[in-house]
Amino acid sequence: MSAATATPTSDKTTKPADRNPRRPRRSGWWLPYALLAPAIIFELVIHVIPMFTGIWMSFLKLTKAFISNWGRAPVIGVKNYQVALDFNGAVGASLLQSFLITCGFTILVVGISWGLGMAAAVALQKKFWGQGFFRTLFLVPYALPMYAGIIAWKFMLQKDTGALNHFLYDNLGISGDKPFWLIGDNAFAAVVIVAIWRLWPFAFLMLMAGLQSIPTDVYEASAVDGAKPFRQWLSITLPMVRPVNMVLVLVMFLWTFNDFNTPFVLFGNAQPPAGDLISFHIYNASFLTWNFGSGAAMSVLLLLFLLLVTGIYLLVLNRRSKRA
Amino acid sequence: MKIRTLAATAAIAALALTTSACGGSNNASGSSESSGGGGSITYWASNQGTSLDNDKAVLTPELQKFQDQTGVKVNLEVIGWNDLQTRIQTAVTSGQAPDVVNIGNTWAASLQSTEAFMPFDSSAMDAIGGKDKFVKTALDTGGMPGQDPTSVPLYGLAYGLYYNKAMFADAGLTPPTTWEDMVADAKKLTTGDQHGFALAAGSYTENAHFAFINAAQNGADLFDSDGKPTFTSDGVVDGIKRQLDLMQTDKVVDVANAQYDNGTKAVNDFATGKVAMIINQNNADSSIVANGMKSDQYGVVAFPAPKGGKDVASHVAGINLSIFKNTKNKDAALKFVKFMTSPETQTALDKPFAALPVLNGATANFTDNPEEAKIFSDIYANKSKPLPLVPAEDQFESTVGKAMNQMYATIASGGTVSTDDIRKAMETAQQQVAAAG
């Protein structure tokens, strides 16, 4: 609101020779600001203020002794960061391990989801009977409520009663003991599979939309020149959906790296080290020990890392697109 | 222009209204300020019966009685154990708290250190009927020693070793009195699909309790006199190893138990005849009966210590009742605590919730099996040791308990856990507790 009054004032001082110095405001001048105000207020309340509160918390010793009265929590500077980044200590070491697991998880999930989404989108590019059915089918995981979908996976991944082990060992007759999927090292495979299942329809949807915008005559012209499907995909499809891909990969990276729901619903309170994704790790580190300052510091570190990766990604890709 | 302006104003007003309405409803759900008749208070109960609905059904008539006596309406919410700690935490952090809440008594010292709970000083104690009405062991769990407790006992619980009488008779066995006997019996009873034992090996709270009990049997403490963790001492490590070996070397526990994330799953295995023994708190009774097993089909003995060990069979388990410090209805809250800990209400609730009495002079009525009642009362009174009453107790449960979850997972998926592995894990747990302090 203060910006609204400031503009006409400065107008007056810089241009005193204006023919009408006390120009009356047009009726309804405030309307744009009034319409913008809710958005700005909500942006502040929902986004900016919590973020700065989080950053401020990361410099406090906000343990259970101070939690009922935040004002009394002592400022301890960068101590929380030191503990989180001391990779020889227990807290830092487990944070680093969780970070590395999350990196591997993200690469696998984004890579495979993109591959599946691309394959399905290309397969459904040309019109054929049943196209609509497959489109709908592929989008089912995306349309299901997340919690319900992951809970269903949790049941399927049980050792003795789960559908997966039943299929592999009872139906296909693989010999040996049925493995655990949700505890021990297999937990990593389990969380990757479930995350891919949940994410790839999104890649499919975006790429399918991108493919619609490619004119068919480009393909026809290349076919006349003798291009085979793979060459067409490489030289036409990929460059044409590049803008879609750029945003898609970035968004999928951010979502996957920050994925909280999948491990939380799949593993509950007892996360196995192999499935200890970083958001979940931070949640456990701050909520189970009531150490919110430390959790906030880890979150800030995560934010910095994601900002860095996003910045580099956009810089590199934008430079390349300018050269092209 | 006029119409547009009008429409915009209306839209903004509507938005403002919605937001304030959201804020309003948040307030209302958090604490109760409404004053109808004698006012009302909010009470968060923990899950003591066979289900949340069962708890509600048991408590509602009692709360009605309280309303008839005092005119105070109690808004009840029953909260499952998986959520209770988070809910309390959120309440402490935000100040949007109920008036009265059930807590696991092992959290008492930890929650006391948040200073969000009302200390029961002498006047508050008098208001709820005096501290002498409580069993001393039970009241001692109410907070740190030397300070006014921030919680008072509500239900008493203790661990006991449940055994299936028919299975023991068929194998010609008598109930074990030492750890070694118990393992030998369990081995004999592990045949085919049947196992000697079931454990909630995926529940970190259960695992932490057994780490404590086994360490106590070895005469080891978890914290030194300064409140510093001593998880790496031989007694603790050895105690954890003993418990793990039930699955690892003795193989009397099904490896699938590594995924049992709450005690009820083990209890159900026992009640349906899949296992011969479980170690559980006495509130297992309600689940056992709900599964169709009669109270004369099973027996209970104290959880045995190894030969030469200390005779500790349980921690002083139970549920305590706390009042939030920022309650606006202190008098009503105190009246409610007095009501809940009165002999009449205790007698009425101990049976459906299978709890031991926390009042002096009361007799256990939670089972129709007098033998079982006697044994549990004896364990509670004579063979229980309180968990350390230090602020970091909750972190002991989460760090050590979760480390044990991982060890069971390793064993279940074919690996081995050696004494050195345990010591290393305890070293990590100890550092985590220190870093959190």
Side-chain angles (χ1 to χ4, degrees):
Chain A
M1 278 302 154
S2 62
T5 48
T7 326
T9 330
S10 65
D11 262 17
K12 195 168 60 180
T13 48
T14 50
K15 290 187 213 162
D18 214 353
R19 60 191 152 86
N20 187 0
R22 276 184 297 147
R23 185 179 55 190
R25 292 192 182 109
R26 278 168 50 196
S27 70
W29 61 271
W30 50 269
L31 182 63
Y33 300 103
L35 289 177
L36 272 177
I40 291 173
I41 292 169
F42 278 106
E43 176 66 18
L44 279 175
V45 169
I46 295 169
H47 232 141
V48 179
I49 294 177
M51 202 168 76
F52 280 100
T53 312
I55 295 175
W56 173 63
M57 267 166 66
S58 71
F59 296 106
L60 298 180
K61 187 183 158 77
L62 196 56
T63 57
K64 64 170 164 265
F66 305 106
I67 199 71
S68 64
N69 186 356
W70 290 27
R72 285 192 301 117
V75 177
I76 50 165
V78 294
K79 179 109 189 308
N80 285 326
Y81 292 92
Q82 279 171 352
V83 171
L85 291 173
D86 171 19
F87 298 134
N88 293 321
V91 176
S94 61
L95 183 69
L96 180 67
Q97 200 211 359
S98 161
F99 174 76
L100 294 177
I101 286 172
T102 313
C103 287
F105 169 79
T106 309
I107 291 169
L108 281 174
V109 170
V110 174
I112 297 176
S113 299
W114 184 85
L116 285 174
M118 185 53 122
V122 170
L124 296 187
Q125 196 176 6
K126 294 216 180 85
K127 277 225 173 308
F128 63 91
W129 191 83
Q131 187 191 27
F133 169 75
F134 280 107
R135 270 188 193 169
T136 317
L137 182 73
F138 290 167
L139 286 177
V140 164
Y142 198 57
L144 274 182
M146 192 189 299
Y147 196 88
I150 302 176
I151 281 281
W153 273 102
K154 187 174 178 163
F155 289 139
M156 294 201 296
L157 292 169
Q158 293 295 317
K159 176 177 179 274
D160 291 322
T161 53
L164 182 70
N165 274 348
H166 181 68
F167 175 69
L168 290 178
Y169 288 83
D170 299 340
N171 295 359
L172 294 185
I174 298 176
S175 58
D177 278 341
K178 292 179 180 178
F180 285 99
W181 289 104
L182 296 176
I183 57 174
D185 292 341
N186 286 340
F188 183 72
V191 73
V192 166
I193 290 170
V194 176
I196 290 173
W197 173 83
R198 217 163 62 67
L199 189 66
W200 85 270
F202 177 71
F204 165 68
L205 190 68
M206 290 292 117
L207 289 169
M208 192 172 68
L211 291 184
Q212 307 291 309
S213 67
I214 305 177
T216 43
D217 34 344
V218 193
Y219 288 105
E220 284 158 14
S222 69
V224 172
D225 290 341
K228 294 276 180 295
F230 182 69
R231 184 63 203 271
Q232 286 184 332
W233 179 75
L234 203 66
S235 301
I236 300 173
T237 313
L238 266 191
M240 296 285 259
V241 294
R242 191 166 180 282
V244 175
N245 261 336
M246 226 174 88
V247 178
L248 177 68
V249 170
L250 181 65
V251 166
M252 290 207 300
F253 163 75
L254 290 176
W255 284 356
T256 309
F257 209 92
N258 277 325
D259 196 357
F260 178 81
N261 297 307
T262 312
F264 182 71
V265 180
L266 209 52
F267 302 129
N269 248 336
Q271 80 283 29
D276 190 16
L277 301 183
I278 198 149
S279 298
F280 191 44
H281 180 86
I282 293 174
Y283 165 80
N284 277 317
S286 52
F287 274 76
L288 273 181
T289 57
W290 295 66
N291 194 339
F292 295 95
S294 163
M298 292 181 193
S299 302
V300 171
L301 290 174
L302 176 64
L303 172 78
L304 290 177
F305 170 76
L306 292 177
L307 272 180
L308 188 76
V309 173
T310 310
I312 293 174
Y313 177 85
L314 290 178
L315 262 182
V316 170
L317 283 186
N318 280 337
R319 193 185 301 156
R320 234 198 270 158
S321 65
K322 263 177 214 147
R323 247 188 322 186
Chain B
M1 185 52 95
K2 267 270 173 63
I3 291 176
R4 218 177 3 142
T5 318
L6 215 76
T9 320
I12 293 165
L15 258 175
L17 269 176
T18 0
T19 40
S20 63
C22 285
S25 67
N26 270 349
N27 276 334
S29 71
S31 65
S32 50
E33 295 149 42
S34 61
S35 51
S40 70
I41 58 171
T42 305
Y43 170 46
W44 285 358
S46 53
N47 176 205
Q48 300 305 125
T50 50
S51 69
L52 299 187
D53 285 337
N54 171 257
D55 276 281
K56 211 166 187 174
V58 170
L59 285 171
T60 304
E62 296 302 318
L63 302 183
Q64 186 58 46
K65 243 182 255 169
F66 177 66
Q67 187 174 355
D68 294 343
Q69 287 173 14
T70 60
V72 179
K73 182 174 165 19
V74 180
N75 300 310
L76 169 71
E77 185 180 352
V78 184
I79 299 173
W81 283 106
N82 288 336
D83 302 319
L84 186 61
Q85 199 172 11
T86 318
R87 290 287 296 272
I88 293 177
Q89 204 167 39
T90 317
V92 170
T93 314
S94 65
Q96 305 253 320
D99 300 286
V100 183
V101 65
N102 277 12
I103 63 169
N105 68 0
T106 61
W107 305 341
S110 298
L111 290 177
Q112 182 176 36
S113 68
T114 67
E115 296 180 19
F117 296 91
M118 193 195 80
F120 285 91
D121 54 19
S122 52
S123 70
M125 270 300 180
D126 289 343
I128 61 167
K131 72 174 183 202
D132 294 332
K133 76 173 181 179
F134 296 108
V135 174
K136 189 170 179 314
T137 344
L139 186 62
D140 283 347
T141 64
M144 280 175 269
Q147 298 185 24
D148 287 330
T150 50
S151 63
V152 292
L154 177 64
Y155 309 123
L157 296 167
Y159 275 104
L161 177 69
Y162 286 76
Y163 65 94
N164 185 316
K165 277 185 180 166
M167 287 185 194
F168 267 66
D170 289 348
L173 298 169
T174 51
T177 51
T178 65
W179 178 276
E180 290 78 5
D181 283 353
M182 181 181 84
V183 172
D185 293 354
K187 279 183 180 162
K188 273 184 206 148
L189 291 163
T190 305
T191 49
D193 281 346
Q194 181 189 312
H195 282 85
F197 246 106
L199 292 175
S203 155
Y204 76 89
T205 46
E206 290 283 311
N207 283 336
H209 295 161
F210 289 119
F212 168 75
I213 297 169
N214 282 337
Q217 290 175 342
N218 290 350
D221 282 320
L222 295 166
F223 292 89
D224 62 17
S225 49
D226 299 331
K228 293 254 178 329
T230 53
F231 305 160
T232 51
S233 71
D234 288 343
V236 178
V237 172
D238 183 58
I240 292 175
K241 181 85 172 31
R242 186 162 69 227
Q243 186 77 15
L244 293 176
D245 278 348
L246 287 175
M247 188 188 279
Q248 182 166 242
T249 54
D250 304 329
K251 298 191 190 305
V252 295
V253 174
D254 186 2
V255 288
N257 287 189
Q259 280 193 315
Y260 281 15
D261 56 6
N262 64 57
T264 318
K265 292 183 179 167
V267 174
N268 290 348
D269 277 359
F270 177 73
T272 50
K274 286 185 193 146
V275 298
M277 287 182 267
I278 49 165
I279 319 168
N280 216 294
Q281 297 179 13
N282 45 300
N283 55 354
D285 278 26
S286 35
S287 289
I288 292 176
V289 173
N291 270 299
M293 196 178 198
K294 302 226 160 43
S295 67
D296 57 354
Q297 291 177 304
Y298 63 86
V300 178
V301 290
F303 176 48
K307 272 183 200 128
K310 290 211 163 130
D311 199 11
V312 178
S314 178
H315 69 278
V316 182
I319 309 302
N320 285 5
L321 208 50
S322 274
I323 299 178
F324 269 90
K325 203 189 238 169
N326 64 0
T327 175
K328 295 196 175 71
N329 313 294
K330 192 177 157 191
D331 289 336
L334 283 170
K335 269 185 213 158
F336 181 63
V337 172
K338 181 177 187 185
F339 172 80
M340 288 298 281
T341 55
S342 67
E344 298 76 34
T345 317
Q346 287 274 306
T347 314
L349 291 179
D350 277 355
K351 187 156 176 60
F353 290 157
L356 289 161
V358 293
L359 299 181
N360 276 324
T363 47
N365 69 342
F366 67 92
T367 169
D368 48 20
N369 181 341
E371 188 66 14
E372 183 191 351
K374 204 179 100 198
I375 286 166
F376 267 118
S377 303
D378 178 49
I379 295 171
Y380 189 70
N382 305 320
K383 294 180 178 172
S384 297
K385 184 178 165 181
L387 270 159
L389 294 161
V390 295
E393 194 283 332
D394 58 342
Q395 285 161 42
F396 152 72
E397 288 196 32
S398 62
T399 55
V400 174
K402 289 202 164 188
M404 285 178 72
N405 280 10
Q406 300 316 328
M407 294 177 204
Y408 278 120
T410 307
I411 294 167
S413 40
T416 50
V417 176
S418 68
T419 311
D420 282 344
D421 295 335
I422 299 173
R423 201 179 301 275
K424 219 177 283 167
M426 289 304 108
E427 184 74 48
T428 308
Q430 208 162 288
Q431 281 188 34
Q432 282 169 333
V433 172

